[in-house]
Amino acid sequence: MAAGGSGRSCFVLGGSGETGRALLRELLAQRAFGRVTLIGRRRLSLGEAETAVEQAVVDFERLGEHAAAFQGHDVGFCCLGTTRARAGADGFVRVDRDYVAQAAELARAGGCKHFVLQSSRGANAQSHFLYLRVKGEVENLVQAVGFDRCTILRPAVLLCKRQESRPMEWIVQQFLGMVARLFPTAYSVPVETVARAMVGCVLQPGEGKVKVLENRAIHELGKAVPQQGT
């Protein structure tokens, strides 16, 4: 259990991804929650953070059998996702839409009041592009669950140093990294900024039942959250 200064509890889905890892670091740095739980298909090696974070291992194909993992959390953060290249079209839909929607339902049933979803710029359930269509569909499904608050972040291209090799994405990131010097909020956003914005939206007072943050708003909110040591 984290030794934070708050009695609130949160869970993180997708903690093994780039944004998820940045989010976990931010949550621990901000000490906004007294209890932080990673929910995933395997335990992660967290180094010094090992004793500060709880971990629940679940089978996403039988997620309904793991309802207990979603009980007792005030806030749920979701960075869960894969790629079509890695999982195939069907696998991508299953992870990015079906797993997320079912997790949201379990979280709401378990008492979660605020669900924070990492989506994507251009998300649209009517899109002809599979990626954007699935992101739009899952946004609609999560909103329909009926959380007291639902925050959806739509970042543009994520700037990060991935653990897995994606040569073409690396080339795009190098280009966008240079473009970002001239247009910092237009086409990309560092994962650290997304993570700070995800935490920041929880620290801020609620503004309506559903709030969607586009890329520029993510930059602005991420900058408004004090970084560790500042």
Side-chain angles (χ1 to χ4, degrees):
M1 182 176 295
S6 168
R8 294 193 302 170
S9 171
C10 74
F11 69 82
V12 177
L13 283 170
S16 64
E18 302 298 335
T19 307
R21 288 198 298 272
L23 174 60
L24 178 59
R25 291 193 297 269
E26 191 65 28
L27 286 169
L28 297 179
Q30 295 290 340
R31 301 174 67 84
F33 294 90
R35 178 180 167 220
V36 177
T37 301
L38 291 181
I39 301 177
R41 60 184 177 83
R42 58 183 174 83
R43 289 187 62 86
L44 302 179
S45 177
L46 302 176
E48 295 180 356
E50 193 77 42
T51 58
V53 178
E54 298 179 11
Q55 297 198 55
V57 178
V58 301
D59 180 353
F60 282 97
E61 291 295 328
R62 299 181 176 181
L63 204 54
E65 299 176 5
H66 301 279
F70 294 89
Q71 292 181 349
H73 301 287
D74 301 289
V75 178
F77 294 97
C78 183
C79 309
L80 190 65
T82 186
T83 64
R84 181 172 182 171
R86 184 175 184 178
D90 291 342
F92 168 70
V93 173
R94 191 163 65 252
V95 173
D96 283 55
R97 186 190 66 193
D98 300 344
Y99 290 174
V100 173
Q102 188 174 6
E105 292 175 353
L106 291 172
R108 181 70 183 92
C112 181
K113 304 297 184 184
H114 188 179
F115 196 82
V116 183
L117 173 66
Q118 178 190 3
S119 182
S120 171
R121 167 184 275 185
N124 184 342
Q126 306 304 317
S127 176
H128 295 295
F129 297 98
L130 177 66
Y131 180 83
L132 298 179
R133 183 172 72 251
V134 168
K135 291 299 184 181
E137 289 172 349
V138 76
E139 286 185 7
N140 292 341
L141 289 170
V142 168
Q143 291 181 53
V145 170
F147 291 100
D148 291 357
R149 291 180 64 190
C150 178
T151 304
I152 297 171
L153 292 87
R154 293 177 176 170
V157 176
L158 297 173
L159 299 179
C160 60
K161 296 180 180 179
R162 291 194 182 275
Q163 290 188 337
E164 60 180 297
S165 176
R166 297 183 184 178
M168 287 305 298
E169 185 175 294
W170 181 86
I171 294 173
V172 171
Q173 285 199 30
Q174 297 307 302
F175 172 73
L176 289 175
M178 293 184 289
V179 172
R181 297 175 186 176
L182 297 175
F183 308 101
T185 66
Y187 306 107
S188 61
V189 59
V191 291
E192 293 81 8
T193 301
V194 177
R196 284 197 297 273
M198 294 182 82
V199 177
C201 73
V202 173
L203 300 178
Q204 289 186 335
E207 297 179 1
K209 196 176 183 69
V210 177
K211 185 171 185 179
V212 178
L213 299 177
E214 299 289 354
N215 200 60
R216 179 180 292 275
I218 293 172
H219 273 275
E220 294 172 350
L221 181 54
K223 289 179 180 179
V225 176
Q227 298 186 39
Q228 185 180 19
T230 61

